[in-house]
Protein backbone atom coordinates (compact mmCIF):
# COMPACT_ATOMS: atom_id res chain seq x y z
CA UNK A 1 0.00 0.00 0.00
CA UNK A 2 3.01 2.28 0.44
CA UNK A 3 3.55 2.76 -3.29
CA UNK A 4 0.02 3.92 -4.01
CA UNK A 5 -0.09 6.10 -0.91
CA UNK A 6 3.22 7.76 -1.77
CA UNK A 7 2.09 8.49 -5.33
CA UNK A 8 -1.26 9.76 -4.04
CA UNK A 9 0.40 12.07 -1.48
CA UNK A 10 2.72 13.65 -4.03
CA UNK A 11 -0.21 14.12 -6.41
CA UNK A 12 -2.26 15.82 -3.67
CA UNK A 13 0.68 18.21 -3.21
CA UNK A 14 0.92 18.64 -6.99
CA UNK A 15 4.62 17.81 -6.76
CA UNK A 16 6.28 16.05 -9.69
CA UNK A 17 9.63 14.41 -9.07
CA UNK A 18 10.34 12.33 -12.16
CA UNK A 19 13.00 10.02 -10.66
CA UNK A 20 10.67 9.24 -7.76
CA UNK A 21 7.72 8.50 -10.05
CA UNK A 22 9.90 6.34 -12.31
CA UNK A 23 10.90 4.34 -9.22
CA UNK A 24 7.28 4.17 -8.00
CA UNK A 25 6.15 2.95 -11.43
CA UNK A 26 8.84 0.26 -11.55
CA UNK A 27 7.97 -0.92 -8.05
CA UNK A 28 4.24 -0.83 -8.78
CA UNK A 29 4.61 -2.89 -11.95
CA UNK A 30 6.39 -5.61 -9.96
CA UNK A 31 3.88 -5.56 -7.10
CA UNK A 32 0.52 -4.95 -8.80
CA UNK A 33 -0.71 -8.49 -8.13
CA UNK A 34 -0.48 -7.80 -4.39
CA UNK A 35 -2.25 -4.41 -4.58
CA UNK A 36 -5.86 -4.08 -3.53
CA UNK A 37 -8.15 -2.51 -6.13
CA UNK A 38 -8.13 0.88 -4.40
CA UNK A 39 -4.33 1.00 -4.45
CA UNK A 40 -4.33 0.28 -8.18
CA UNK A 41 -6.82 3.05 -8.87
CA UNK A 42 -5.04 5.46 -6.50
CA UNK A 43 -1.81 4.86 -8.39
CA UNK A 44 -3.47 5.50 -11.76
CA UNK A 45 -5.17 8.60 -10.32
CA UNK A 46 -1.89 9.99 -8.97
CA UNK A 47 -0.04 9.61 -12.27
CA UNK A 48 -2.97 11.15 -14.17
CA UNK A 49 -3.34 14.03 -11.73
CA UNK A 50 0.30 14.94 -12.32
CA UNK A 51 0.04 14.29 -16.09
CA UNK A 52 2.73 11.60 -15.93
CA UNK A 53 2.18 9.27 -18.87
CA UNK A 54 4.10 6.11 -17.96
CA UNK A 55 2.88 3.67 -20.59
CA UNK A 56 4.47 0.51 -19.13
CA UNK A 57 2.71 1.21 -15.82
CA UNK A 58 -0.61 1.90 -17.54
CA UNK A 59 -0.29 -1.32 -19.53
CA UNK A 60 0.40 -3.27 -16.35
CA UNK A 61 -2.47 -1.59 -14.52
CA UNK A 62 -4.80 -2.40 -17.40
CA UNK A 63 -3.80 -6.07 -17.50
CA UNK A 64 -4.11 -6.46 -13.72
CA UNK A 65 -7.42 -4.60 -13.61
CA UNK A 66 -8.94 -6.74 -16.34
CA UNK A 67 -7.84 -9.87 -14.50
CA UNK A 68 -9.46 -8.64 -11.26
CA UNK A 69 -12.40 -6.63 -12.58
CA UNK A 70 -14.85 -8.20 -10.10
CA UNK A 71 -12.97 -6.50 -7.24
CA UNK A 72 -13.71 -3.00 -8.53
CA UNK A 73 -16.69 -1.05 -7.26
CA UNK A 74 -18.33 1.68 -9.39
CA UNK A 75 -16.19 4.43 -7.81
CA UNK A 76 -12.97 2.55 -8.58
CA UNK A 77 -14.09 1.97 -12.16
CA UNK A 78 -14.92 5.64 -12.67
CA UNK A 79 -11.58 6.69 -11.15
CA UNK A 80 -9.76 4.36 -13.51
CA UNK A 81 -11.70 5.66 -16.52
CA UNK A 82 -10.96 9.24 -15.42
CA UNK A 83 -7.23 8.53 -15.09
CA UNK A 84 -6.92 7.01 -18.55
CA UNK A 85 -9.08 9.73 -20.15
CA UNK A 86 -7.10 12.48 -18.42
CA UNK A 87 -3.89 11.05 -19.83
CA UNK A 88 -5.48 10.69 -23.26
CA UNK A 89 -5.01 6.93 -23.25
CA UNK A 90 -7.59 4.72 -24.92
CA UNK A 91 -7.08 1.22 -23.59
CA UNK A 92 -9.71 -0.68 -25.55
CA UNK A 93 -9.54 -3.94 -23.55
CA UNK A 94 -9.94 -2.09 -20.24
CA UNK A 95 -12.60 0.37 -21.38
Amino acid sequence: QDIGNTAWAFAKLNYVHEPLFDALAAAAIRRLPSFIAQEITNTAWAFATLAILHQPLLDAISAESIRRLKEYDPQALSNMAWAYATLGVLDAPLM
Side-chain angles (χ1 to χ4, degrees), residues 43-62:
T43 302
W45 178 88
F47 276 75
T49 296
L50 295 173
I52 300 172
L53 179 56
H54 193 286
Q55 195 62 51
L57 176 62
L58 294 175
D59 292 344
I61 286 173
S62 173

Side-chain angles (χ1 to χ4, degrees), residues 28-93:
I29 290 168
R30 286 191 306 273
R31 297 166 117 185
L32 278 175
S34 69
F35 282 18
I36 61 172
Q38 182 179 356
E39 189 173 9
I40 294 172
T41 58
N42 284 353
T43 302
W45 178 88
F47 276 75
T49 296
L50 295 173
I52 300 172
L53 179 56
H54 193 286
Q55 195 62 51
L57 176 62
L58 294 175
D59 292 344
I61 286 173
S62 173
E64 187 65 25
S65 296
I66 290 167
R67 190 177 72 75
R68 298 169 43 188
L69 198 55
K70 292 179 183 176
E71 297 175 28
Y72 287 77
D73 62 19
Q75 182 66 52
L77 292 172
S78 68
N79 288 348
M80 187 72 69
W82 177 88
Y84 278 72
T86 297
L87 290 170
V89 174
L90 175 60
D91 187 292

